[in-house]
Structure formats: C-alpha cells, structure tokens
Amino acid sequence: MPEQPESSTTVSITIDGREVVAKKGEMVIAAAENAGTYIPRFCYHPRMKPVGVCRMCLVEVDSGRGPTLQPACFIEATDQMTVVTDSEKVKKAQDGVLEFLLANHPLDCPVCDKGGECPLQDQTLAHGPGETRFIEEKRHFEKPIALSELVLLDRERCIQCSRCTRFAEEVAGEALIDFLGRGDQVEVAMFPDEPFSSYFSGNTVQICPVGALTATPYRFAARPWDLEQVETTCTGCAVGCRVAVQSSSGRLTRLLGVDADPVNHSWMCDKGRFGFEAVNGVDDGNEELALTDPTRRLTEPMVRKNGTLVPVSWSEALSAVASQLKDAKEKDPQSVGAIGGAQLTNEGAFTWTSLIKGIVGSDSVDAQLGDGLDAQLVLALPRATIDEAANACTVILLSGDLREELPVLFLRLRHSAVEAKNSLIDLGPRTSALSAVAKVRLPARPGEAPLVARALAGDVAAVTQLKGHREGHTFGDEDLASAQHLLGEDGSGVVVVIGRTSVAEDAAFVESAARILHQRYPNAKFLPALRRGNVMGALEMGMAPGILPGETSLAQPGAALRSWWPLVPGIQGKTALEQLAAFGDGSQEVLLLLGADPLADVADGALVERALRSSGSLVCVSGHGGAILERADVVLPAAVVHERAGTTTNIEGRVSRLGQKMVAPGLAWSDWMIAAELAAALGAQWEFTAVGDVTDQIAAVVQGFSGISSNALAQPATRDGVVLGSTAAPTTAGLLDPMATPGMVSAEEFGLGSYAGIVRGEEQAQAPTSGAGAPSLTTSLSSGENVISPALDNYSLRIVGTHTLYDNGANIVGSPSLSALRKVAVAMVNPYDLDRLGLATGDKAKLRSGRATIILPVEADAGVLRGTVVLNANVTVHGAERRENPLASLVDSSLPVNDVVLESL
Amino acid sequence: MSALTPDRRTRAEHLVALYPEKRSALIPICHIAQEQEGHLTDELMIEVAELVGVTPAEVQGTVSFYDMLRIEPVGKYVVSVCTNIACLLAGGEEMLEHVEKTTGTRRGGTSSDGMFTVEEAECLADCDVVPCVQINNRFVRTTTPETFDALAARLRSGETVTDIPTSGIVSRVERSVGLVADPEVVAQERSALRASDQKATS
C-alpha cells in the first residue's frame, strides 16, 4: 500500500479482515461503527468522553504485539492496527461481562419502563448468556428515590455505566450526582438536600442504558412497542433542537433528542422535553376549566355576544373578523395590527403576513413583544451559525443568560469554552451560567452596552466615561486589553451572540452596541439570541414593521412577491408596544394576537392594562386559554406544536421540518388555515390545500427561500434542515445509534410524516441564495443613533429585567411536572447594596418606581452588579395570581432605563 | 460560618495552594476535616467542596469510596479485625466475635456508650501478627482475647494510650513541603517592595 505522509489525518486499520480508513485520534469503537461493524457498548456515548468502565466493548486488538482484549471505546485507532470483533475469545469476554452486569440486575423487565427498548435487554439477547448461574441474593434498595422533581432512580437496575454522572459533570457542568460507595455497593446519589435540579436532567434519562433513571411524566405511561414516533423540531425556544416526539393511545408521552450534528448533539432542555404535557391538556377536564385557565385547550371558535364569549361556528367567527378587516382595508389599513408570530410555523407566519400586509395593507405586524431587537438590524447583520459560534476562537456574549433563554445553545458554547478552550467575552449585566467559563468579563450595566462596545472598539473616551460611572468599581484595563487582543484586527473568527441583556432597558442600547462592534470588527459574525420559538422564521416572513418577506424593505419588494401580493403597505407600521399604545388610545381599532399573550410577555404592565381597557376589537388566535381571553372579542382556536406540520426557522436561519404527531383537539385549525380562510373572505385566491402548498409558495416568492420546497425538505439528507444563505451542502444526518438514545426509532422509517400526501421526488435542496444583508436593509447597520442613558442617582437601583426558563409561560404552566418548578419573584441585589440598605436575604422590601410600589423578598446575589437590581420577567410572588407580574408593574417601556428605590418596610 | 475550626481551615487553605489543580487537595483536606469530628459531616463536606471547587456530591462520592474516610459517625475507638485468609486461619473470625462480645456491639455498629465501633476489615498487611487487630488505624497486636480485653479495659477506663490517636485521624504527618513559599519570606519580599515603591513615589 502507498506510504502515508506524517501529517495525514487518517489511519488505516483492519477490522474483521477488512481494511478500513479511520480518522486519526478516533476510538476503535467509532471507527468500526463508521465502517459498518457495530461493537456492543453501555458506557460509551458518542457525545461524551470515553471512560471504559463497562467493558462491554472488549475486542481483540493487535497493535503489533499480538492480539489482546481491549475496550474498543478506550483505545485510539492507530495505523496498521488489527481489530477482531467476532472471535470466540471476544464472544466469551462479552458474554462474561454481561453475566457480571446481570449478577445484580433485577429481572423485572415486564414492569420496567425500559423493557422493550433496553440496551441491556437487547445486548444480552445478542451477546449474553441465555441462562443465569447466579443463585445468590441480589442487592435491594428502597425504590424509586427522587434525584429531582423530574428524575427518579431505581438503584438496583443501575449497571454503573456512569453515563448520567458524566453527563451532569461534563456536558451540563453541574456535578450534582456522583457515585456513592464502592464495589457492589456503588449507587448513583445526590448530596443530601441538594437535588439534581438541572435544566438538563432529562438527558440523563434519555441516555440511561437500563431502566434505572426514569422521568416522572413518562414513568409507567406507555410501553415502547405501543409508541408512535415522528421527528420534528422543538419550538420551545429558538435554538431549534431536532427531536423525536412519541405518543401512545392518542396522547403525547415522550420527547427524545435527535443527534443533529449542527444543532443539539442529541441534547434537550427539560422545558423542551417535558413541555409536551401542555399540548395534551389536563385529562378529560377540559369542559370544566375556565377559559382563563392556561392549561385549558381551546377547541372551538368563540365570539363575544352580550358581554360573554359564546361558541360559534368557524364561518361565523371568521366572518366577524373578515368584516372588520374588510372595513379597515377600505377605510384605514393602519387601524389593523397584529402582535405575535413566533408561535407560528413559517407557513403560518407567511400567510398571516400576506393577509395583513399584502391584502389588508397594514404594516403593523410585530412578532416580537418589545423584548426583542430591531428586525431590520437582526436580518442585516452578517449571521453566524450555531456551529460557527461553537467553533469560533472568540465569542462575545451580549445577551441574557443563555442557560435560561436558549439552553442548548448554552450547552454548545459551554462545551466550546471548556473542551476546545475557545474564549468567551461576557458583557452581560449580571453573571450568567457561562461567566464561570468566560475568559474575560466586562459587565455592561443597563444602558452601558454602547459604551462597553466603544471601549472594545478602542475608544479611550468611552473607557474614561465607564470608569466615571462606576463608583466602587474599576473597569479593568487588563480585562479590556485582553478582550481586545482576543478580537484581533478585524474580528475574523469572532462571533457575537446578541440578544436582550435586559427587558427593562431600551433595545436601542444593545442595537447600538451591535452596530459599533460591526463597524469596528467588520468580519465578526452575529448569532441572534432571540428567545421565542419561530421568531426568526417570523422575521424572515416579514413579521416586523418596515420589512417584507425575504429580508427586504417596504420600498423594495421582490418581484415574485410583488406579483403575488395585491398590494404592499406604503407606510411603516407600528411595533408591538406602539400597537398596544395605539389600541389603548383608540387609534388602532383591531388588534390580532397571534399566539401572543401581552399579559405575560410584555414587560410594561400598565401599557397592556390600558390597551385592554380600550373599546377596540381584540382577536385572539391561540391554542390555550389565558387571562387575556377575559377581554377577547373573538377567539380562534389554533393547533399548537406537535399538532401541525410545516417548517420552522431557528436563530441561525436553519429551516427544518415540523412533524405532526397529534390531531388538534376539537375544531382547532392550523394557523395558516385560519389566515388563508380570512384571505379568501377578503377575495384572495390562494388555493392552498395542504401545508406543503404554502411551503412551496414561500419557496416560489420569498427571496432567500428558493429551493427550500416541501419536496426538498422531505429528503432524508435535509433532516437537519437547510440554513438560509449558506452555500454549504446540508449536513447529512448520521446513523441512528440505538445505544446512545434508546427508544428512538430510526428516522428514515418514521420521520417523514410531515408532508403526508406529497409525492417524494429525488429533488435536492439547493443552497438558497443569501438574503442576509440585502441592500435595502444594510442601511440599518450604519444608522446608529446615539442612545444615552441618564445617570443613576445615589438612592436608586437600575432594573435588569432577565428571563428564567421556568417562568409563567404557557408550556410551563400547562405542564403539571414543570408547573411545580416555576420560579417565584424575588429582587436580586448585590450583597454590598443589600448591606447598605440594612437588608438581608429573605427580608421583604419595598420597590418603588415611577409606575408602582410593590413588596418583594430580596436576595443577596454577588453576580448582580452594584447599583442594579435583577428581576425576572413573567414570574409572580409566591401564591399570587399569574397576572401579578412584579417586573411588568414596575417598568415603563417608554423610558430608556428603569430605576427603582429599594427600601426596607 | 466555617464548619472547620480556624486552624484546620488555615491548614486546608495551605493545602489547596500546594497543588496546581485545586481538586488535587480533596483527599488531604478530607483527612484534616475528618480529624475534627471523627467523620465527615454534611457541613464539612460542603466546606471541603467549596475549598477545592467541586460539588458536595463529588466530595461525598470520593469520601464514600475510601474505607478510611467516614460519612457515618463512629465511636471514640474504631476496632478493625481482619478476616482475610491469614487471619482467618489464625482465628480472625473468632477474634471478631470476641470483640463484638467485649464491646457490646455488632460488626458495623457502635456501642451504646459511643466508646467502640467494630468493623470487619480486609487484609491490613500485618500478617505475621495474626489475627490482626487495629484500633483507630493503628496496629495494637492483641492476638488473643485476653490481651484485647486488657487493652479495651484500659481504653474504657479513660487511660490515654499513646499509640492510639483520636478516631478520625488517618495521618499524623502534616504535609508542609511543596511549591508553597514560606509565608515569612513572602512577607519580607512584600514589605521590601512596598518600601521601594514608597521611595519611588516620594
């Protein structure tokens, strides 16, 4: 054979007599798998470091000194290595290992949740002894014990593979479980009173190769052979994890993370994993629940008659809305507006935008609720993918706490910082879960982001100004210098994660900081950290004032779109907050809420309350009940996630398929159907008969989406989706490893349900032409107005409005297992300030802003900057009603920053 | 509030400074912490975790792995009797039974007066003086029931037996060498620097 050069990245090994090529540094187990030889395993997981503890993967390895039994997961493939995986010696070893593992394993398979999808069962059948010789007493434990509110442990089933403890330490960075004891007494344990309360705890259940770890929502809920599965994309947040959603007997039972290499590496957060309970609704009790109950599913259209909402037919409800839209279209299109869109599919977003903008003629559509960023800026900035961020040598974090907002992005970036030693520069106003692994921390207090950006860009005046702002603080010159060093000359290889650092300050601060960074470091890319499900899809579909589908401005619609839409709005519309104000003062007559709940999602409570007191017409398109329905004039029930097919777009612009597993309850429709029916009532002739038609229409008329047709997305090669504007070929999904994620059915067989009825051709998704930075939107990159934050007086604290994963969102409230975990409202203050005020953790204090005075418990938190107070959005004080939202009652969204005076009672 | 006494806390901090990786100090610090109460209480494990930058669950995992680190409370004297082959042949099992009788507690338990904890041990590496018995990790070489009873009586009467340390003490050698500079030298260097700084500014 030809001699290989020293620097070669591959080695040649022989597996069972076949010569195969392996990557240098690859473990034998992976090299064999890539070559089509499957070696049994328990402890090995492709997304974690090998440990070689279970010994199941023993094979005969000969590296020149004769064949010996070695664990394939723990030995690197080296050139000229010979591996034998099927000799008598190997079989005897594997049989022996299984006999040892089974010595203490109970044979309770008939009542075990894992039975039927269990790697131990499967591999015992394939490689193990047929009968037991073990007659001694097996070990017994009290069972199950709770490791956390969501994860239960049956210790006698554990085979000590350490997958769960390694996940906790290595992937999640929260080593809250570890082995206790030694020898045959080893058990997985938490520290007393320190439960495994991790946002990622569900992953340990997913990777457990036996039935030792079970999740409370799935325990005894179904048998594996009764499960039906569809692959889809999780829209719990905007990361867009690929997941397998499984149901049994007409109810959703479980979600498993699919190993999508560019996105989630098979991980999920617990909100995404267990939030499906909200889709099921509360069992059988739907009729009894009040409309205002967020756990209630909406099953029929309703119209307010004589002050109460009464069920009506779809045609009556639709004609009520259509007549209002028709009136508005003829008299004053500006009197109509829509808020929301991140809960929709791309198809829903496209049809609703086409209805409001292209048929009615109002530009007032906003998918963000005052907690996002300027859509034009987000779309115009050079966009990074999640992979690019995870592989970037330097990442600037100018966002909220990613573990709370985009949990799996946190996992990817944490892995990048910890394993690949990439540098993070943390600019957030309070320490986040990533601060501990960040190289540099340059905290920007509310209103300071542009100054910190200017300091990073080398503006000496900004540094002086920052130092002047900080009594009792030093703005570290060394930190600044090392950050600048990490950013290099022009920002090549740098990714800026840009989101809202606080919802209690004007978005203009972060936007201005982004423009400054872009101008100084033109080669840096930006990854938008916008939180809500399909918010990027909604923005791509033009659901923001001033833009049209395909990242174009009102003035420059694409030719294809222009020919399909009867008209294009002439005047720039209103943002969500402006719409709420206009609805409140009567200048906007119709407000459509597309899956949005301003009571929960808008950080300015007074603005929302005033809007709800108006006499305008409020139309709610929603899948769940809620307090907002007390005010709704028309309610249109919509299908929610897992009940509708279509596509979704994640933060990096990745368009992927949504699978439909369930049928929406009652008369609920998919969002695109509702818009299409309304459009038909207004005279449009769309002729959509299935969701795939809408996908194809998007591909046909929206710039940047050409080639992303329903056919192209239905190909196995595009399982992980297609990134808008990317010229790279879509990544091909790897083979399903049944031992890495037990219980998942091969995607090839079951994952294509999203376009039932469409003939699948061999069409390939072409790399679509980039819409990013289209000429009409690039102006938003330079027009950086100077936002100024007023100086803080000596008595006030500046509010930092943050998010927590377990807030009062519909998915959390509607899921019994997650609902109990909701965070309660507390004012987090730096210990120094708390001391100064004579308060201690747990005390109640008065918080007084221009808007309201409220009483909240305080908590000392060294991660909070002096002079600031951190309040979570959309949480309530313990025992209070869901709509009493402390942050929203304090914040005035018209102010650039919000201050409160904190006093002891 | 520190669970460790101030002097132990200082010793622990010195130990952490000895290692390039903080967590390398975990086991030596556990020795120090165990001296305090004979076993590692939850509070002590939390403090050890904080000192070496790991979670309490990881400290508990490590402590539970090693026989000489204890999570459960023990008596004033821990009696370990070997029942491995050499001792077994020499009557280790009988010795253990005798110890149980004398101390009034079963193996694995602690006597009601808190005096003795009895445990069955694996080979203690003193096989030429069998059956091998240790008290608080020290070989006492009481190979007959009579000699053991005599020693137990002395201990019970409150006599201090010099060879036998307080329970919990694993090592009586204090680690004081390594990469740490002598604090006095550091103090001298610092004051010299300060002096030269002052000279420069004035």
Side-chain angles (χ1 to χ4, degrees):
Chain A
M1 62 173 290
E3 220 170 276
Q4 298 213 334
E6 271 301 290
S7 63
S8 168
T9 54
T10 59
V11 292
S12 167
I13 63 173
T14 308
I15 298 176
D16 294 339
R18 288 185 302 135
E19 199 166 289
V20 300
V21 173
K23 276 181 255 157
K24 209 174 213 172
E26 197 174 28
M27 294 299 168
V28 168
I29 196 167
E33 194 170 340
N34 292 336
T37 300
Y38 194 86
I39 299 172
R41 79 281 302 264
F42 291 108
C43 70
Y44 172 77
H45 190 281
R47 293 295 178 185
M48 295 194 289
K49 282 187 239 169
V51 282
V53 297
C54 77
R55 319 309 284 184
M56 189 62 216
C57 64
L58 287 175
V59 289
E60 274 190 279
V61 176
D62 184 357
S63 319
R65 288 188 292 180
T68 51
L69 283 173
Q70 304 209 34
C73 77
F74 212 63
I75 182 163
E76 278 181 23
T78 54
D79 213 21
Q80 307 305 319
M81 178 184 268
T82 308
V83 178
V84 179
T85 71
D86 56 359
S87 66
E88 281 309 311
K89 198 168 164 189
V90 169
K91 284 179 186 162
K92 185 163 188 297
Q94 291 173 346
D95 179 285
V97 167
L98 273 167
E99 189 170 12
F100 267 126
L101 289 178
L102 289 169
N104 262 317
H105 190 83
L107 298 178
D108 62 345
C109 306
V111 296
C112 175
D113 275 316
K114 211 73 170 192
E117 59 176 35
C118 176
L120 182 59
Q121 237 180 3
D122 293 348
Q123 295 187 135
T124 300
L125 185 70
H127 308 282
E131 280 177 18
T132 179
R133 292 185 289 173
F134 192 80
I135 52 165
E136 290 79 7
E137 187 72 8
K138 298 194 181 209
R139 52 185 201 155
H140 298 282
F141 289 105
E142 178 197 337
K143 66 178 277 172
I145 56 167
L147 290 183
S148 73
E149 291 87 345
L150 294 168
V151 179
L152 299 174
L153 169 65
D154 290 284
R155 286 167 288 183
E156 72 286 354
R157 290 184 188 150
C158 176
I159 58 164
Q160 291 88 41
C161 71
S162 79
R163 274 186 178 184
C164 56
T165 54
R166 280 183 291 144
F167 173 86
E169 199 245 326
E170 197 180 312
V171 183
E174 302 165 283
L176 297 171
I177 46 173
D178 201 357
F179 281 144
L180 179 77
R182 190 184 61 216
D184 67 337
Q185 291 305 312
V186 168
E187 56 180 290
V188 171
M190 61 184 203
F191 195 71
D193 303 324
E194 206 166 296
F196 183 42
S197 297
S198 164
Y199 287 155
F200 305 101
S201 64
N203 291 300
T204 60
V205 178
Q206 172 173 319
I207 59 179
C208 181
V210 292
L213 293 173
T214 44
T216 46
Y218 181 73
R219 195 171 164 88
F220 304 135
R223 306 300 342 229
W225 48 87
D226 289 334
L227 293 172
E228 294 168 9
Q229 175 188 310
V230 155
E231 253 196 59
T232 187
T233 300
C234 175
T235 53
C237 76
V239 171
C241 300
R242 287 299 287 175
V243 298
V245 50
Q246 301 181 332
S247 70
S248 168
S249 308
R251 288 177 72 79
L252 293 177
T253 49
R254 182 169 72 169
L255 264 70
L256 297 170
V258 169
D259 195 337
D261 188 58
V263 189
N264 59 316
H265 289 189
S266 84
W267 310 131
M268 290 181 75
C269 68
D270 287 356
K271 180 184 172 188
R273 188 181 297 274
F274 302 120
F276 71 85
E277 289 181 327
V279 179
N280 283 338
V282 175
D283 212 356
D284 300 328
N286 270 2
E287 263 60 57
E288 315 302 321
L289 294 173
L291 274 179
T292 51
D293 192 319
T295 61
R296 166 160 176 170
R297 291 298 311 273
L298 300 177
T299 54
E300 48 199 350
M302 281 177 282
V303 171
R304 190 169 294 277
K305 290 178 180 170
N306 301 325
T308 45
L309 282 173
V310 289
V312 295
S313 66
W314 265 109
S315 61
E316 189 180 341
L318 287 172
S319 60
V321 180
S323 69
Q324 289 176 341
L325 295 180
K326 215 176 281 176
D327 273 4
K329 176 182 157 71
E330 278 150 21
K331 293 180 199 141
D332 175 19
Q334 305 311 313
S335 68
V336 170
I339 296 179
Q343 307 300 323
L344 308 177
T345 56
N346 285 345
E347 289 71 14
F350 177 67
T351 44
W352 275 105
T353 319
S354 298
L355 171 68
I356 310 279
K357 293 198 175 183
I359 293 175
V360 177
S362 166
D363 183 48
S364 297
V365 179
D366 195 352
Q368 306 185 81
L369 293 117
D371 60 352
L373 295 167
D374 177 28
Q376 306 201 20
L377 174 72
V378 169
L379 296 177
L381 286 168
R383 202 185 296 156
T385 62
I386 293 174
D387 262 353
E388 279 171 334
N391 295 322
C393 55
T394 303
V395 173
I396 299 183
L397 298 168
L398 182 58
S399 68
D401 190 337
L402 293 179
R403 188 164 71 182
E404 307 286 350
E405 300 189 4
L406 301 164
V408 173
L409 179 62
F410 157 79
L411 288 187
R412 294 291 309 273
L413 291 180
R414 184 187 173 276
H415 188 264
S416 155
V418 173
E419 301 298 331
K421 308 280 180 213
N422 289 328
S423 310
L424 302 180
I425 302 174
D426 181 15
L427 308 185
R430 69 159 302 177
T431 53
S432 72
L434 280 172
S435 301
V437 294
K439 280 258 163 64
V440 184
R441 179 158 158 71
L442 290 171
R445 287 196 292 194
E448 275 185 0
L451 274 180
V452 174
R454 273 166 53 201
L456 277 177
D459 182 341
V460 183
V463 180
T464 323
Q465 217 176 328
L466 276 170
K467 285 183 173 170
H469 273 198
R470 290 172 186 238
E471 179 230 342
H473 275 276
T474 48
F475 190 76
D477 287 323
E478 282 169 30
D479 289 342
L480 183 63
S482 62
Q484 282 166 337
H485 176 72
L486 290 171
L487 293 176
E489 257 322 289
D490 54 4
S492 296
V494 174
V495 170
V496 185
V497 177
I498 176 180
R500 281 292 286 276
T501 50
S502 162
V503 288
E505 63 170 359
D506 196 322
F509 292 114
V510 169
E511 288 158 6
S512 166
R515 290 191 183 96
I516 292 163
L517 289 171
H518 174 65
Q519 274 156 16
R520 170 62 186 81
Y521 299 104
N523 287 351
K525 290 186 166 186
F526 291 77
L527 181 63
L530 301 177
R531 302 164 54 232
R532 297 177 195 286
N534 190 22
V535 62
M536 283 305 284
L539 297 185
E540 289 286 348
M541 292 302 139
M543 296 195 95
I547 57 168
L548 296 176
E551 306 185 358
T552 50
S553 70
L554 292 183
Q556 292 165 303
L561 184 77
R562 187 66 195 85
S563 63
W564 193 63
W565 278 14
L567 54 90
V568 168
I571 317 166
Q572 169 143 350
K574 297 185 276 286
T575 64
L577 298 181
E578 288 164 354
Q579 283 188 56
L580 286 169
F583 194 65
D585 66 26
S587 59
Q588 179 172 324
E589 282 159 25
V590 181
L591 177 59
L592 293 137
L593 295 177
L594 306 177
D597 181 358
L599 279 172
D601 298 335
V602 173
D604 184 340
L607 179 72
V608 178
E609 293 294 344
R610 206 166 67 85
L612 295 183
R613 279 197 300 271
S614 80
S615 59
S617 172
L618 186 69
V619 179
C620 291
V621 181
S622 176
H624 285 98
I628 195 86
L629 296 187
E630 279 175 10
R631 173 58 188 81
D633 296 299
V634 182
V635 177
L636 304 177
V640 298
V641 63
H642 309 314
E643 295 173 348
R644 52 187 191 183
T647 59
T648 186
T649 310
N650 78 350
I651 46 172
E652 51 180 345
R654 179 179 302 277
V655 181
S656 59
R657 278 174 290 146
L658 291 171
Q660 180 183 348
K661 186 73 221 61
M662 307 297 287
V663 176
L667 302 175
W669 283 1
S670 279
D671 32 43
W672 69 268
M673 290 182 191
I674 303 173
E677 286 297 322
L678 286 170
L682 268 72
Q685 313 219 313
W686 284 355
E687 293 176 354
F688 296 144
T689 56
V691 66
D693 299 343
V694 189
T695 317
D696 292 342
Q697 186 67 21
I698 294 173
V701 303
V702 179
Q703 192 179 316
F705 279 72
S706 62
I708 310 185
S709 65
S710 54
N711 256 355
L713 280 175
Q715 304 306 322
T718 52
R719 184 199 72 175
D720 296 341
V722 180
V723 179
L724 293 173
S726 162
T727 47
T731 46
T732 310
L735 285 175
L736 178 73
D737 178 352
M739 300 308 150
T741 310
M744 193 178 298
V745 188
S746 172
E748 278 71 28
E749 287 171 57
F750 289 86
L752 301 176
S754 34
Y755 290 108
I758 291 181
V759 181
R760 278 185 228 125
E762 281 304 299
E763 190 180 345
Q764 288 292 311
Q766 291 146 9
T769 49
S770 169
S776 59
L777 290 185
T778 44
T779 46
S780 55
L781 288 179
S782 48
S783 57
E785 75 222 73
N786 209 1
V787 276
I788 293 172
S789 86
L792 182 71
D793 66 54
N794 284 333
Y795 307 101
S796 303
L797 299 175
R798 196 145 276 179
I799 304 180
V800 177
T802 54
H803 291 285
T804 170
L805 192 66
Y806 294 153
D807 62 5
N808 283 334
N811 276 347
I812 302 288
V813 177
S815 302
S817 358
L818 295 176
S819 180
L821 305 177
R822 279 178 293 162
K823 299 270 164 67
V824 292
V826 59
M828 289 162 272
V829 186
N830 187 283
Y832 169 85
D833 287 327
L834 214 53
D835 239 29
R836 203 165 48 94
L837 295 162
L839 290 163
T841 299
D843 290 354
K844 287 199 170 165
K846 213 188 304 177
L847 279 77
R848 183 160 44 84
S849 77
R851 273 286 171 79
T853 301
I854 58 165
I855 292 171
L856 270 188
V858 292
E859 192 178 286
D861 187 334
V864 176
L865 293 173
R866 286 189 197 179
T868 64
V869 52
V870 174
L871 296 168
N872 277 327
N874 200 14
V875 292
T876 51
V877 284
H878 194 68
E881 259 191 66
R882 188 168 162 239
R883 40 192 306 184
E884 287 167 26
N885 182 339
L887 179 70
S889 52
L890 290 172
V891 166
D892 178 351
S893 60
S894 64
L895 297 174
V897 288
N898 280 273
D899 295 342
V900 285
V901 175
L902 192 96
E903 297 161 333
S904 53
L905 287 180
Chain B
M1 251 315 267
S2 169
L4 284 168
T5 56
D7 64 314
R8 290 199 175 88
R9 172 88 194 181
T10 313
R11 279 168 63 200
E13 281 163 1
H14 283 170
L15 269 173
V16 172
L18 273 177
Y19 298 91
E21 289 282 338
K22 269 163 84 176
R23 67 189 298 163
S24 308
L26 175 54
I27 290 175
I29 290 183
C30 283
H31 288 182
I32 293 178
Q34 182 165 272
E35 288 173 9
Q36 193 165 311
E37 314 204 6
H39 73 287
L40 286 140
T41 60
D42 288 355
E43 293 72 30
L44 284 169
M45 284 194 278
I46 290 169
E47 182 156 347
V48 171
E50 174 248 317
L51 275 164
V52 299
V54 300
T55 62
E58 288 175 295
V59 174
Q60 180 187 251
T62 305
V63 170
S64 64
F65 183 88
Y66 293 103
D67 270 354
M68 288 163 84
L69 295 176
R70 295 169 193 280
I71 288 181
E72 299 294 328
V74 289
K76 194 173 174 190
Y77 298 103
V78 180
V79 185
S80 318
V81 182
C82 176
T83 54
N84 277 188
I85 188 69
C87 295
L88 191 73
L89 294 174
E93 187 60 41
E94 290 77 9
M95 185 62 171
L96 182 56
E97 276 164 18
H98 177 77
V99 170
E100 286 177 336
K101 211 178 294 162
T102 306
T103 57
T105 180
R106 300 282 298 164
R107 60 195 76 178
T110 300
S111 60
S112 52
D113 59 358
M115 238 7 214
F116 295 104
T117 296
V118 177
E119 63 177 19
E120 187 175 1
E122 305 302 332
C123 181
L124 295 167
D126 197 21
C127 310
D128 53 338
V129 192
V130 286
C132 181
V133 178
Q134 276 192 341
I135 296 182
N136 287 354
N137 302 322
R138 296 294 174 279
F139 294 115
V140 290
R141 303 199 155 176
T142 52
T143 51
T144 60
E146 294 72 34
T147 47
F148 177 80
D149 286 350
L151 180 60
R154 283 172 66 201
L155 293 173
R156 207 179 263 123
S157 71
E159 189 184 330
T160 314
V161 179
T162 45
D163 263 0
I164 300 175
T166 321
S167 74
I169 290 184
V170 178
S171 161
R172 278 179 288 191
V173 183
E174 246 181 71
R175 172 102 195 255
S176 58
V177 292
L179 297 171
V180 157
D182 184 349
E184 275 179 30
V185 175
V186 174
Q188 277 169 12
E189 281 177 1
R190 279 198 187 138
S191 65
L193 257 175
R194 218 172 292 130
S196 70
D197 272 0
Q198 273 165 1
K199 225 176 266 172
T201 47
S202 63

